[in-house]
Amino acid sequence: MITKANENDLKEIISNAVDAVQEATAYTFKPWQGQIKNIIRKTLDHGGYYLILKEKDCLKGWILIDISKDYFKQQNIGFIYEVYVLPNYRGKGYSKELIKAAIEELSMQGCNEIERNIRTTNFYKELGFVHH
C-alpha cells in the first residue's frame, strides 16, 4: 500500500537516507546523517513530502515529491527528488509503483509537468519522462 509518510516513517527513512543519497549520486557524494536530516527537513518544511510503500508495517521504499509554482507559465510543477527501494525488496517493480503513485498524486494537485532530480535512465523513459 502506498500512503503519505508519518513521523515514524520519517524516522526510518532518515535512518536509511545516507545510503539512498549515496546511491542516487553514484557514490560521488558521501553525506553525513545530520546533513541529510537537515536537507530532508528543509524540503518537508517547504511543502515536500514522502509517499511510502509499506506492507504489514514493513517499509519497502519511498519517493520524495514537492510542488513549486512556475511564475512564468503560471502553473504548478511537480518534482520528484528521490526514489528509493530498500535492497531486500528490489527487483519487484516497487520503484515503478512509487513513481506512478507520485505522478498520479502530483497530477491530482494540478501539475501538468513533472521534473525529476534523478539520474537519466531508460527506466524513466518507459514511464513517459523526456529529456529536456
Side-chain angles (χ1 to χ4, degrees):
M1 175 169 44
I2 297 178
T3 61
K4 195 169 180 179
N6 62 35
E7 279 302 315
N8 287 332
D9 299 322
L10 287 175
K11 289 177 188 172
E12 191 170 352
I13 289 168
I14 290 169
S15 73
N16 288 286
V18 169
D19 292 336
V21 170
Q22 284 184 286
E23 284 185 29
T25 61
Y27 295 91
T28 59
F29 175 58
K30 184 172 173 134
W32 47 278
Q33 193 69 36
Q35 186 178 25
I36 293 298
K37 189 174 182 177
N38 289 337
I39 292 168
I40 290 171
R41 283 288 164 201
K42 284 180 184 177
T43 303
L44 298 178
D45 290 346
H46 176 264
Y49 57 96
Y50 284 97
L51 296 178
I52 59 165
L53 176 66
K54 201 171 190 178
E55 290 180 8
K56 298 180 182 174
D57 290 330
C58 180
L59 181 66
K60 295 186 174 190
W62 60 82
I63 187 164
L64 177 58
I65 62 176
D66 195 3
I67 298 173
S68 284
K69 181 81 167 180
D70 181 325
Y71 292 100
F72 293 110
K73 295 180 182 178
Q74 288 299 303
Q75 67 183 30
N76 289 336
I77 296 180
F79 288 89
I80 296 176
Y81 292 118
E82 173 186 14
V83 180
Y84 189 73
V85 174
L86 292 161
N88 290 342
Y89 305 108
R90 293 180 182 170
K92 297 176 174 39
Y94 293 147
S95 290
K96 283 184 183 178
E97 283 184 48
L98 287 162
I99 291 170
K100 286 177 182 178
I103 291 169
E104 186 175 315
E105 174 87 10
L106 292 167
S107 293
M108 287 188 322
Q109 295 189 46
C111 298
N112 296 326
E113 187 176 319
I114 299 172
E115 297 185 10
R116 60 183 166 59
N117 188 23
I118 305 165
R119 289 180 289 166
T120 303
T121 65
N122 289 334
F123 175 82
Y124 295 98
K125 289 179 187 174
E126 288 176 29
L127 295 168
F129 284 85
V130 294
H131 182 71
H132 288 282

